[in-house]
Each structure stands twice: as structure tokens, then as C-alpha cells.
Amino acid sequence: MLQRRSLWAGLAVYGAALALTALTYPVLEASGGPGGPPLLWGTWVPIAVGLLLTWFAARRAPQQELEKRLDDVLDGHPLGRELVWLMGALVAFLAGVGAMAFVFGQIHADYFVLAVPVARLLFLFVVPVLLVDRAGFSMEGSSTGMPRLAMGVTEPWRWVGMLPVAGCLLALVLGTGERLTPVPDGVALGVFVALVVISVPEEIFFRGMVQTRLERLTDRWSGIVLTSLLFAATYALIGGYAELPRAMPTGGQHDLGLSIATYGVSGLLYGYVWACYRNMWLNILLRGGVITLVVAPSLQIVG
């Protein structure tokens, strides 16, 4: 009953956010951030394509065997307690962004943008790994096999997830093709650094750690939906501190709704790909590809 309520509550929030966004902005024109592509072609259609391809590609995959391996990895982990630790790390990240932005801003006015990447690396990667993985092993004697399962992928079928990744990115290219113009020197390096700094810690934190535990405590789709909403709320809260244009929703009191309509919807695909393949490389490639295609044309960097 709790699982069903969690899922329906999450879907209700999505429905309200999408309705608010559709009523507030022209869907064919509104973007998820300054200079970003339209919501319809830049987010909703590519994500729908990715979800459909993920479902199609994973229909006959031996997912039960993979889930059994995941259960073995998590056996002995205090999942509820670890989820509390993870939420504490997320709160520390949000608080740390503001504090670090102030400190960096005192050094130089332009340095405040360093707050998010530094806080992200510390509170969404280093601290969670120590608390959830290493601490779980040293204090509980639990397995630390999650990195091997998620990143040491040797089964060919777990790479079939490249189909939805490629399909989503292709749909994004076709939907926003007019924006994909040559960019100034230095942008490519900047985007590469950005996608590594953003994609790796965030996908490991939100999908690999938070969603995995929520799935076990509720069910698959409740975990996906709840994690995606948490992901969207995080970006709504960091707002103008975010280092990339797409990460700054514009809409005043509608920031949360717009963030759910962009980051939340995207999170559904990231979460579904993770749930089907447990292959973190696919999530990093997908997230990094989306960041590159959406953000690169919007950056104003002169090499």
C-alpha cells in the first residue's frame, strides 16, 4: 500500500508540474533555461524516445539475475539508515553551495560559480562513498561490491542500453538541430570538464545510491519517480548558483514546476536506464551527451 501511494503521489506531482508549465509557457517555445532548446523538442520528445527504446531493448534481458546480484551486494546494508545519511549529504550540498559561493565570491566576483562543482564533488561523491560504501563495510561488515557491479560491466546485454542512449541523443539533435552551430575554441574542453564534474558524481549519487535504495525500500517505479523528483528539486534550489545555463530555471515562483518539467522528466529516463541495466557508464554517457548537446551552443567562452 505504501509503495502504491508513493508512486501515485509522485505521479500527481509530475502531472501538476507539467500542467503548470504547459499553462504558464508556450510548450513549443519555452525552454528549461536561458538559451536552452524548447521543452517539447529539447526534453519531452527525446526522453519519450529514450523511454520507449529502453522498454523495447530490455524486454527480454535477464534482469532477474542482475537484480539477484544486486540483492547480494546490498545484503547486510542498513538501507534505511544509509538513505538518511544520503539525505543528510544532499542537505549539506545545498547548504554548502551557498556558503562556498560566498567564500569564493570574496576571493573574486566570478569565482562564485566554483561553489557548485566543489560542493558536488565533496557532498555528492566523497562523503556518500565514505558513509554508504566504506563505512557500511567497516561498521556493518557489508559488501562493497557495488562499484564492480555498476562499472565493471562485462555482460554484452548490459551494453544494449546504448540503443536508448543513442536514440535519445539523436532525437535531441533532430529536435534542436538549428542550435548545433560551431562553437568557439575552448568550449569543447569546458563542456568535457563540465560533463565529467556533473555527470559522474550526480549519477552515482542519485541513481546508483539513492534510487537503488528507494527501489529496495518501495519498488522499481516508486524509486525512479521519487528520485527524479528529488533530482529536480535539487536543481530548483541551487538555481542561479548552477554553473551551466540549462541548470537555471526561469520562472519566478514556477521554478520548481519548470525544474520538474525538465530535470524531473529527464530523471525518469536516467532512472529507467539504471534500473534496467545497472550500468553506470550508460548513465554517464547519456547525461553527458544531453549536457553537451543542450549546453554547448549556449556557452559564451572565448578561447
Side-chain angles (χ1 to χ4, degrees), residues 79-147:
L79 298 182
R81 191 191 316 168
E82 289 179 345
L83 192 59
V84 172
W85 291 343
L86 291 171
M87 292 304 96
L90 183 59
V91 171
F93 164 68
L94 295 172
V97 166
M100 291 183 182
F102 174 78
V103 172
F104 285 126
Q106 298 303 304
I107 300 174
H108 191 282
D110 294 333
Y111 288 177
F112 82 96
V113 295
L114 296 175
V116 172
V118 172
R120 179 188 291 117
L121 182 62
L122 178 60
F123 295 112
L124 299 188
F125 184 71
V126 175
V127 170
V129 167
L130 292 176
L131 288 178
V132 173
D133 191 8
R134 295 302 170 186
F137 175 74
S138 60
M139 294 190 302
E140 305 289 340
S142 305
S143 170
T144 58
M146 193 64 179

Short mmCIF file of all heavy atoms in Angstrom, two decimals, residues 79-147:
data_model
loop_
_atom_site.label_atom_id
_atom_site.label_comp_id
_atom_site.label_asym_id
_atom_site.label_seq_id
_atom_site.Cartn_x
_atom_site.Cartn_y
_atom_site.Cartn_z
N LEU A 79 19.71 -0.20 4.77
CA LEU A 79 19.28 0.69 3.68
C LEU A 79 18.58 1.94 4.18
O LEU A 79 18.83 3.04 3.66
CB LEU A 79 18.37 -0.08 2.72
CG LEU A 79 18.99 -1.29 2.02
CD1 LEU A 79 17.99 -1.91 1.06
CD2 LEU A 79 20.26 -0.90 1.28
N GLY A 80 17.69 1.80 5.17
CA GLY A 80 17.01 2.97 5.69
C GLY A 80 17.96 3.97 6.31
O GLY A 80 17.87 5.18 6.06
N ARG A 81 18.92 3.47 7.10
CA ARG A 81 19.89 4.35 7.73
C ARG A 81 20.79 5.01 6.68
O ARG A 81 21.11 6.20 6.76
CB ARG A 81 20.74 3.56 8.72
CG ARG A 81 21.61 4.44 9.63
CD ARG A 81 22.62 3.61 10.40
NE ARG A 81 22.04 2.38 10.94
CZ ARG A 81 22.78 1.42 11.43
NH1 ARG A 81 24.10 1.51 11.44
NH2 ARG A 81 22.21 0.32 11.91
N GLU A 82 21.17 4.22 5.68
CA GLU A 82 22.02 4.77 4.62
C GLU A 82 21.28 5.84 3.84
O GLU A 82 21.88 6.86 3.43
CB GLU A 82 22.48 3.65 3.69
CG GLU A 82 23.50 2.72 4.33
CD GLU A 82 23.92 1.59 3.41
OE1 GLU A 82 23.23 1.34 2.40
OE2 GLU A 82 24.95 0.96 3.70
N LEU A 83 19.98 5.66 3.62
CA LEU A 83 19.21 6.67 2.91
C LEU A 83 19.15 7.97 3.72
O LEU A 83 19.21 9.07 3.14
CB LEU A 83 17.80 6.14 2.65
CG LEU A 83 16.94 6.95 1.67
CD1 LEU A 83 17.61 7.06 0.32
CD2 LEU A 83 15.56 6.32 1.53
N VAL A 84 19.05 7.86 5.03
CA VAL A 84 19.09 9.05 5.88
C VAL A 84 20.44 9.76 5.74
O VAL A 84 20.50 10.99 5.64
CB VAL A 84 18.82 8.67 7.35
CG1 VAL A 84 19.06 9.88 8.26
CG2 VAL A 84 17.40 8.17 7.53
N TRP A 85 21.52 8.99 5.73
CA TRP A 85 22.84 9.59 5.54
C TRP A 85 22.94 10.31 4.19
O TRP A 85 23.50 11.41 4.10
CB TRP A 85 23.92 8.50 5.61
CG TRP A 85 24.11 7.91 6.96
CD1 TRP A 85 23.70 8.42 8.16
CD2 TRP A 85 24.77 6.68 7.27
NE1 TRP A 85 24.06 7.59 9.20
CE2 TRP A 85 24.72 6.51 8.68
CE3 TRP A 85 25.40 5.69 6.51
CZ2 TRP A 85 25.27 5.42 9.33
CZ3 TRP A 85 25.95 4.59 7.15
CH2 TRP A 85 25.88 4.46 8.54
N LEU A 86 22.39 9.69 3.18
CA LEU A 86 22.43 10.29 1.85
C LEU A 86 21.63 11.59 1.80
O LEU A 86 22.06 12.57 1.18
CB LEU A 86 21.90 9.30 0.81
CG LEU A 86 22.79 8.08 0.53
CD1 LEU A 86 22.06 7.08 -0.35
CD2 LEU A 86 24.10 8.50 -0.11
N MET A 87 20.48 11.62 2.46
CA MET A 87 19.69 12.86 2.50
C MET A 87 20.44 13.94 3.29
O MET A 87 20.38 15.12 2.95
CB MET A 87 18.32 12.60 3.13
CG MET A 87 17.40 11.71 2.29
SD MET A 87 17.12 12.31 0.61
CE MET A 87 18.35 11.36 -0.32
N GLY A 88 21.16 13.52 4.32
CA GLY A 88 21.99 14.47 5.05
C GLY A 88 23.08 15.05 4.17
O GLY A 88 23.37 16.26 4.23
N ALA A 89 23.68 14.20 3.34
CA ALA A 89 24.71 14.68 2.41
C ALA A 89 24.13 15.65 1.40
O ALA A 89 24.76 16.65 1.03
CB ALA A 89 25.37 13.49 1.70
N LEU A 90 22.89 15.38 0.95
CA LEU A 90 22.24 16.28 -0.01
C LEU A 90 21.94 17.63 0.63
O LEU A 90 22.14 18.68 0.00
CB LEU A 90 20.96 15.63 -0.53
CG LEU A 90 20.20 16.41 -1.60
CD1 LEU A 90 21.07 16.65 -2.82
CD2 LEU A 90 18.92 15.66 -2.00
N VAL A 91 21.46 17.61 1.87
CA VAL A 91 21.20 18.87 2.58
C VAL A 91 22.51 19.64 2.76
O VAL A 91 22.56 20.87 2.59
CB VAL A 91 20.55 18.59 3.94
CG1 VAL A 91 20.49 19.87 4.79
CG2 VAL A 91 19.14 18.03 3.75
N ALA A 92 23.59 18.92 3.09
CA ALA A 92 24.89 19.56 3.24
C ALA A 92 25.36 20.17 1.92
O ALA A 92 25.97 21.25 1.89
CB ALA A 92 25.92 18.54 3.75
N PHE A 93 25.06 19.49 0.81
CA PHE A 93 25.40 20.02 -0.51
C PHE A 93 24.68 21.34 -0.76
O PHE A 93 25.30 22.33 -1.18
CB PHE A 93 25.03 19.00 -1.59
CG PHE A 93 24.99 19.55 -2.98
CD1 PHE A 93 26.15 19.97 -3.62
CD2 PHE A 93 23.77 19.67 -3.66
CE1 PHE A 93 26.11 20.49 -4.91
CE2 PHE A 93 23.72 20.19 -4.94
CZ PHE A 93 24.89 20.60 -5.58
N LEU A 94 23.37 21.37 -0.50
CA LEU A 94 22.60 22.58 -0.75
C LEU A 94 23.07 23.73 0.13
O LEU A 94 23.18 24.87 -0.32
CB LEU A 94 21.12 22.29 -0.52
CG LEU A 94 20.48 21.29 -1.48
CD1 LEU A 94 19.07 20.93 -1.03
CD2 LEU A 94 20.46 21.84 -2.90
N ALA A 95 23.34 23.43 1.41
CA ALA A 95 23.84 24.47 2.31
C ALA A 95 25.26 24.89 1.93
O ALA A 95 25.62 26.07 1.98
CB ALA A 95 23.81 23.97 3.75
N GLY A 96 26.06 23.90 1.52
CA GLY A 96 27.45 24.18 1.16
C GLY A 96 27.58 25.04 -0.07
O GLY A 96 28.53 25.83 -0.18
N VAL A 97 26.64 24.91 -1.00
CA VAL A 97 26.68 25.73 -2.22
C VAL A 97 26.62 27.21 -1.86
O VAL A 97 27.41 28.03 -2.34
CB VAL A 97 25.53 25.35 -3.17
CG1 VAL A 97 25.36 26.42 -4.25
CG2 VAL A 97 25.79 24.00 -3.81
N GLY A 98 25.67 27.58 -0.99
CA GLY A 98 25.55 28.98 -0.60
C GLY A 98 26.76 29.48 0.15
O GLY A 98 27.26 30.59 -0.10
N ALA A 99 27.25 28.66 1.08
CA ALA A 99 28.41 29.06 1.87
C ALA A 99 29.66 29.20 1.00
O ALA A 99 30.42 30.18 1.11
CB ALA A 99 28.66 28.04 2.99
N MET A 100 29.89 28.22 0.12
CA MET A 100 31.07 28.27 -0.74
C MET A 100 30.98 29.39 -1.76
O MET A 100 31.99 30.00 -2.12
CB MET A 100 31.26 26.92 -1.43
CG MET A 100 31.68 25.80 -0.50
SD MET A 100 31.98 24.25 -1.39
CE MET A 100 32.36 23.16 -0.01
N ALA A 101 29.77 29.67 -2.24
CA ALA A 101 29.60 30.77 -3.18
C ALA A 101 30.01 32.10 -2.53
O ALA A 101 30.65 32.95 -3.16
CB ALA A 101 28.16 30.84 -3.66
N PHE A 102 29.66 32.26 -1.26
CA PHE A 102 30.04 33.48 -0.54
C PHE A 102 31.56 33.56 -0.39
O PHE A 102 32.17 34.60 -0.65
CB PHE A 102 29.38 33.50 0.83
CG PHE A 102 29.82 34.65 1.69
CD1 PHE A 102 29.31 35.92 1.50
CD2 PHE A 102 30.78 34.46 2.70
CE1 PHE A 102 29.73 36.99 2.29
CE2 PHE A 102 31.20 35.51 3.48
CZ PHE A 102 30.68 36.78 3.28
N VAL A 103 32.17 32.43 0.01
CA VAL A 103 33.62 32.41 0.22
C VAL A 103 34.36 32.68 -1.09
O VAL A 103 35.26 33.52 -1.16
CB VAL A 103 34.06 31.07 0.83
CG1 VAL A 103 35.59 30.97 0.86
CG2 VAL A 103 33.49 30.91 2.23
N PHE A 104 33.98 31.95 -2.15
CA PHE A 104 34.65 32.13 -3.43
C PHE A 104 34.40 33.53 -3.98
O PHE A 104 35.28 34.13 -4.62
CB PHE A 104 34.17 31.09 -4.44
CG PHE A 104 34.75 29.71 -4.22
CD1 PHE A 104 33.92 28.61 -4.11
CD2 PHE A 104 36.12 29.53 -4.12
CE1 PHE A 104 34.44 27.34 -3.90
CE2 PHE A 104 36.65 28.26 -3.92
CZ PHE A 104 35.81 27.17 -3.80
N GLY A 105 33.20 34.08 -3.73
CA GLY A 105 32.89 35.41 -4.19
C GLY A 105 33.74 36.49 -3.52
O GLY A 105 33.98 37.55 -4.10
N GLN A 106 34.18 36.22 -2.29
CA GLN A 106 35.05 37.17 -1.61
C GLN A 106 36.44 37.19 -2.23
O GLN A 106 37.15 38.20 -2.19
CB GLN A 106 35.17 36.80 -0.12
CG GLN A 106 33.85 36.87 0.63
CD GLN A 106 33.21 38.25 0.54
OE1 GLN A 106 33.82 39.26 0.88
NE2 GLN A 106 31.97 38.30 0.07
N ILE A 107 36.83 36.06 -2.81
CA ILE A 107 38.14 35.99 -3.48
C ILE A 107 38.10 36.72 -4.80
O ILE A 107 38.97 37.53 -5.11
CB ILE A 107 38.55 34.52 -3.69
CG1 ILE A 107 38.64 33.80 -2.33
CG2 ILE A 107 39.88 34.43 -4.44
CD1 ILE A 107 38.89 32.31 -2.45
N HIS A 108 37.06 36.44 -5.59
CA HIS A 108 36.85 37.12 -6.87
C HIS A 108 35.39 37.00 -7.22
O HIS A 108 34.78 35.94 -7.02
CB HIS A 108 37.73 36.51 -7.97
CG HIS A 108 37.77 37.33 -9.23
ND1 HIS A 108 36.74 37.34 -10.15
CD2 HIS A 108 38.73 38.17 -9.72
CE1 HIS A 108 37.05 38.15 -11.15
NE2 HIS A 108 38.25 38.66 -10.91
N ALA A 109 34.81 38.05 -7.79
CA ALA A 109 33.38 38.08 -8.06
C ALA A 109 32.94 36.94 -8.98
O ALA A 109 31.82 36.44 -8.87
CB ALA A 109 32.98 39.42 -8.67
N ASP A 110 33.82 36.53 -9.90
CA ASP A 110 33.45 35.49 -10.87
C ASP A 110 33.64 34.08 -10.33
O ASP A 110 33.21 33.11 -10.95
CB ASP A 110 34.27 35.64 -12.15
CG ASP A 110 33.95 36.93 -12.90
OD1 ASP A 110 32.82 37.42 -12.74
OD2 ASP A 110 34.83 37.43 -13.62
N TYR A 111 34.28 33.95 -9.17
CA TYR A 111 34.60 32.61 -8.66
C TYR A 111 33.44 31.92 -7.97
O TYR A 111 33.56 30.75 -7.61
CB TYR A 111 35.78 32.70 -7.69
CG TYR A 111 37.12 32.99 -8.34
CD1 TYR A 111 38.26 33.15 -7.56
CD2 TYR A 111 37.24 33.11 -9.71
CE1 TYR A 111 39.49 33.41 -8.15
CE2 TYR A 111 38.45 33.38 -10.30
CZ TYR A 111 39.58 33.54 -9.51
OH TYR A 111 40.79 33.80 -10.10
N PHE A 112 32.30 32.63 -7.79
CA PHE A 112 31.18 32.00 -7.09
C PHE A 112 30.67 30.77 -7.82
O PHE A 112 30.09 29.87 -7.22
CB PHE A 112 30.04 33.01 -6.90
CG PHE A 112 29.15 33.18 -8.10
CD1 PHE A 112 27.96 32.46 -8.20
CD2 PHE A 112 29.50 34.04 -9.12
CE1 PHE A 112 27.13 32.61 -9.30
CE2 PHE A 112 28.69 34.20 -10.23
CZ PHE A 112 27.50 33.48 -10.32
N VAL A 113 30.91 30.70 -9.16
CA VAL A 113 30.44 29.55 -9.93
C VAL A 113 31.18 28.27 -9.55
O VAL A 113 30.74 27.17 -9.90
CB VAL A 113 30.58 29.80 -11.45
CG1 VAL A 113 29.68 30.94 -11.87
CG2 VAL A 113 32.02 30.06 -11.84
N LEU A 114 32.30 28.39 -8.84
CA LEU A 114 33.04 27.21 -8.41
C LEU A 114 32.36 26.51 -7.24
O LEU A 114 32.69 25.36 -6.93
CB LEU A 114 34.46 27.60 -7.99
CG LEU A 114 35.38 28.17 -9.09
CD1 LEU A 114 36.70 28.61 -8.47
CD2 LEU A 114 35.62 27.13 -10.17
N ALA A 115 31.40 27.18 -6.62
CA ALA A 115 30.76 26.62 -5.43
C ALA A 115 30.07 25.30 -5.71
O ALA A 115 30.22 24.33 -4.95
CB ALA A 115 29.76 27.63 -4.85
N VAL A 116 29.30 25.24 -6.79
CA VAL A 116 28.54 24.02 -7.08
C VAL A 116 29.44 22.83 -7.40
O VAL A 116 29.26 21.76 -6.82
CB VAL A 116 27.51 24.27 -8.21
CG1 VAL A 116 26.87 22.96 -8.64
CG2 VAL A 116 26.43 25.23 -7.73
N PRO A 117 30.41 22.96 -8.33
CA PRO A 117 31.26 21.79 -8.61
C PRO A 117 32.05 21.30 -7.40
O PRO A 117 32.20 20.09 -7.20
CB PRO A 117 32.18 22.25 -9.74
CG PRO A 117 32.06 23.73 -9.79
CD PRO A 117 30.72 24.07 -9.27
N VAL A 118 32.55 22.22 -6.57
CA VAL A 118 33.31 21.81 -5.39
C VAL A 118 32.39 21.14 -4.38
O VAL A 118 32.70 20.06 -3.84
CB VAL A 118 34.02 23.03 -4.75
CG1 VAL A 118 34.64 22.63 -3.41
CG2 VAL A 118 35.10 23.57 -5.69
N ALA A 119 31.23 21.75 -4.11
CA ALA A 119 30.28 21.16 -3.16
C ALA A 119 29.75 19.83 -3.68
O ALA A 119 29.54 18.88 -2.91
CB ALA A 119 29.12 22.12 -2.92
N ARG A 120 29.53 19.73 -5.00
CA ARG A 120 29.03 18.48 -5.59
C ARG A 120 30.04 17.36 -5.39
O ARG A 120 29.67 16.25 -4.99
CB ARG A 120 28.76 18.70 -7.07
CG ARG A 120 28.26 17.44 -7.79
CD ARG A 120 28.19 17.65 -9.28
NE ARG A 120 27.15 18.57 -9.67
CZ ARG A 120 27.38 19.74 -10.27
NH1 ARG A 120 28.61 20.13 -10.53
NH2 ARG A 120 26.36 20.51 -10.62
N LEU A 121 31.29 17.63 -5.69
CA LEU A 121 32.32 16.60 -5.56
C LEU A 121 32.46 16.14 -4.11
O LEU A 121 32.60 14.94 -3.83
CB LEU A 121 33.67 17.13 -6.07
CG LEU A 121 34.84 16.15 -6.05
CD1 LEU A 121 34.56 14.96 -6.96
CD2 LEU A 121 36.13 16.85 -6.46
N LEU A 122 32.38 17.10 -3.18
CA LEU A 122 32.56 16.78 -1.77
C LEU A 122 31.35 16.05 -1.19
O LEU A 122 31.47 14.97 -0.60
CB LEU A 122 32.84 18.06 -0.99
CG LEU A 122 33.00 17.90 0.53
CD1 LEU A 122 34.17 16.97 0.85
CD2 LEU A 122 33.20 19.26 1.19
N PHE A 123 30.14 16.65 -1.36
CA PHE A 123 28.96 16.15 -0.65
C PHE A 123 28.14 15.12 -1.42
O PHE A 123 27.37 14.38 -0.82
CB PHE A 123 28.06 17.32 -0.25
CG PHE A 123 28.69 18.25 0.75
CD1 PHE A 123 29.03 19.55 0.39
CD2 PHE A 123 28.96 17.82 2.03
CE1 PHE A 123 29.63 20.40 1.30
CE2 PHE A 123 29.56 18.67 2.96
CZ PHE A 123 29.90 19.97 2.59
N LEU A 124 28.29 15.08 -2.75
CA LEU A 124 27.53 14.10 -3.52
C LEU A 124 28.40 12.93 -3.98
O LEU A 124 27.88 12.00 -4.60
CB LEU A 124 26.86 14.76 -4.74
CG LEU A 124 25.84 15.86 -4.44
CD1 LEU A 124 25.13 16.28 -5.71
CD2 LEU A 124 24.85 15.45 -3.37
N PHE A 125 29.69 13.00 -3.68
CA PHE A 125 30.56 11.90 -4.10
C PHE A 125 31.44 11.40 -2.96
O PHE A 125 31.29 10.27 -2.49
CB PHE A 125 31.42 12.32 -5.29
CG PHE A 125 32.27 11.20 -5.84
CD1 PHE A 125 31.69 10.15 -6.53
CD2 PHE A 125 33.64 11.19 -5.65
CE1 PHE A 125 32.46 9.10 -7.03
CE2 PHE A 125 34.43 10.16 -6.14
CZ PHE A 125 33.83 9.11 -6.83
N VAL A 126 32.34 12.24 -2.48
CA VAL A 126 33.31 11.80 -1.48
C VAL A 126 32.61 11.37 -0.19
O VAL A 126 32.81 10.25 0.31
CB VAL A 126 34.35 12.91 -1.19
CG1 VAL A 126 35.28 12.47 -0.06
CG2 VAL A 126 35.15 13.21 -2.44
N VAL A 127 31.79 12.25 0.37
CA VAL A 127 31.12 11.94 1.63
C VAL A 127 30.18 10.74 1.51
O VAL A 127 30.23 9.83 2.35
CB VAL A 127 30.36 13.18 2.16
CG1 VAL A 127 29.47 12.81 3.34
CG2 VAL A 127 31.36 14.27 2.57
N PRO A 128 29.32 10.66 0.47
CA PRO A 128 28.46 9.48 0.36
C PRO A 128 29.22 8.17 0.20
O PRO A 128 28.82 7.15 0.76
CB PRO A 128 27.62 9.77 -0.90
CG PRO A 128 27.60 11.24 -0.99
CD PRO A 128 28.95 11.69 -0.52
N VAL A 129 30.31 8.19 -0.56
CA VAL A 129 31.10 6.96 -0.72
C VAL A 129 31.65 6.52 0.63
O VAL A 129 31.63 5.33 0.99
CB VAL A 129 32.23 7.16 -1.74
CG1 VAL A 129 33.24 6.01 -1.67
CG2 VAL A 129 31.66 7.26 -3.15
N LEU A 130 32.14 7.47 1.41
CA LEU A 130 32.68 7.13 2.73
C LEU A 130 31.59 6.65 3.68
O LEU A 130 31.78 5.70 4.44
CB LEU A 130 33.41 8.34 3.31
CG LEU A 130 34.70 8.77 2.60
CD1 LEU A 130 35.25 10.04 3.24
CD2 LEU A 130 35.73 7.66 2.64
N LEU A 131 30.43 7.31 3.66
CA LEU A 131 29.36 6.97 4.60
C LEU A 131 28.62 5.70 4.21
O LEU A 131 28.31 4.86 5.06
CB LEU A 131 28.36 8.13 4.69
CG LEU A 131 28.82 9.39 5.43
CD1 LEU A 131 27.72 10.44 5.39
CD2 LEU A 131 29.20 9.08 6.87
N VAL A 132 28.32 5.55 2.92
CA VAL A 132 27.45 4.47 2.48
C VAL A 132 28.21 3.22 2.08
O VAL A 132 27.77 2.11 2.32
CB VAL A 132 26.56 4.95 1.32
CG1 VAL A 132 25.76 3.80 0.73
CG2 VAL A 132 25.62 6.03 1.81
N ASP A 133 29.37 3.41 1.47
CA ASP A 133 30.12 2.25 0.99
C ASP A 133 31.17 1.82 2.00
O ASP A 133 31.07 0.78 2.64
CB ASP A 133 30.77 2.59 -0.35
CG ASP A 133 31.33 1.35 -1.04
OD1 ASP A 133 31.08 0.24 -0.54
OD2 ASP A 133 32.01 1.48 -2.06
N ARG A 134 32.19 2.63 2.20
CA ARG A 134 33.29 2.24 3.09
C ARG A 134 32.84 2.11 4.53
O ARG A 134 33.21 1.16 5.23
CB ARG A 134 34.43 3.26 2.97
CG ARG A 134 35.07 3.29 1.60
CD ARG A 134 35.60 1.92 1.23
NE ARG A 134 36.01 1.85 -0.17
CZ ARG A 134 36.40 0.74 -0.77
NH1 ARG A 134 36.43 -0.40 -0.11
NH2 ARG A 134 36.75 0.76 -2.06
N ALA A 135 32.01 3.07 5.00
CA ALA A 135 31.55 2.99 6.37
C ALA A 135 30.62 1.79 6.55
O ALA A 135 30.63 1.12 7.58
CB ALA A 135 30.83 4.28 6.78
N GLY A 136 29.81 1.51 5.52
CA GLY A 136 28.94 0.35 5.60
C GLY A 136 29.73 -0.94 5.72
O GLY A 136 29.33 -1.89 6.39
N PHE A 137 30.90 -0.96 5.10
CA PHE A 137 31.74 -2.16 5.17
C PHE A 137 32.44 -2.27 6.52
O PHE A 137 32.44 -3.31 7.17
CB PHE A 137 32.80 -2.12 4.06
CG PHE A 137 33.78 -3.26 4.14
CD1 PHE A 137 33.41 -4.54 3.77
CD2 PHE A 137 35.07 -3.05 4.60
CE1 PHE A 137 34.31 -5.59 3.84
CE2 PHE A 137 35.97 -4.09 4.67
CZ PHE A 137 35.60 -5.36 4.29
N SER A 138 33.00 -1.16 6.98
CA SER A 138 33.79 -1.20 8.21
C SER A 138 32.93 -1.36 9.45
O SER A 138 33.33 -2.02 10.41
CB SER A 138 34.64 0.07 8.33
OG SER A 138 33.82 1.22 8.37
N MET A 139 31.70 -0.78 9.44
CA MET A 139 30.86 -0.82 10.63
C MET A 139 29.87 -1.98 10.61
O MET A 139 29.49 -2.50 11.64
CB MET A 139 30.11 0.51 10.79
CG MET A 139 31.03 1.69 11.07
SD MET A 139 30.13 3.18 11.54
CE MET A 139 29.06 3.43 10.14
N GLU A 140 29.43 -2.37 9.42
CA GLU A 140 28.39 -3.40 9.34
C GLU A 140 28.92 -4.71 8.76
O GLU A 140 28.23 -5.72 8.78
CB GLU A 140 27.23 -2.90 8.46
CG GLU A 140 26.64 -1.57 8.90
CD GLU A 140 25.86 -1.70 10.19
OE1 GLU A 140 25.47 -2.82 10.52
OE2 GLU A 140 25.64 -0.67 10.85
N GLY A 141 30.13 -4.68 8.17
CA GLY A 141 30.65 -5.87 7.51
C GLY A 141 29.93 -6.17 6.21
O GLY A 141 29.95 -7.29 5.71
N SER A 142 29.28 -5.15 5.63
CA SER A 142 28.50 -5.34 4.41
C SER A 142 29.39 -5.30 3.18
O SER A 142 30.52 -4.82 3.22
CB SER A 142 27.41 -4.25 4.30
OG SER A 142 26.61 -4.24 5.46
N SER A 143 28.85 -5.79 2.08
CA SER A 143 29.60 -5.87 0.84
C SER A 143 29.92 -4.49 0.27
O SER A 143 29.15 -3.56 0.42
CB SER A 143 28.81 -6.67 -0.19
OG SER A 143 29.40 -6.59 -1.46
N THR A 144 31.06 -4.37 -0.39
CA THR A 144 31.42 -3.14 -1.12
C THR A 144 31.48 -3.46 -2.61
O THR A 144 32.25 -2.87 -3.34
CB THR A 144 32.77 -2.59 -0.64
OG1 THR A 144 33.77 -3.60 -0.83
CG2 THR A 144 32.73 -2.18 0.80
N GLY A 145 30.66 -4.39 -3.08
CA GLY A 145 30.71 -4.84 -4.46
C GLY A 145 29.95 -3.99 -5.44
O GLY A 145 29.93 -4.29 -6.64
N MET A 146 29.31 -2.90 -4.98
CA MET A 146 28.51 -2.07 -5.88
C MET A 146 29.34 -1.47 -7.02
O MET A 146 28.89 -1.48 -8.17
CB MET A 146 27.81 -0.97 -5.10
CG MET A 146 26.73 -0.27 -5.88
SD MET A 146 25.39 -1.41 -6.32
CE MET A 146 24.29 -0.31 -7.18
N PRO A 147 30.53 -0.93 -6.76
CA PRO A 147 31.31 -0.39 -7.88
C PRO A 147 31.61 -1.44 -8.96
O PRO A 147 31.57 -1.13 -10.15
CB PRO A 147 32.60 0.10 -7.21
CG PRO A 147 32.20 0.40 -5.80
CD PRO A 147 31.18 -0.65 -5.47
#
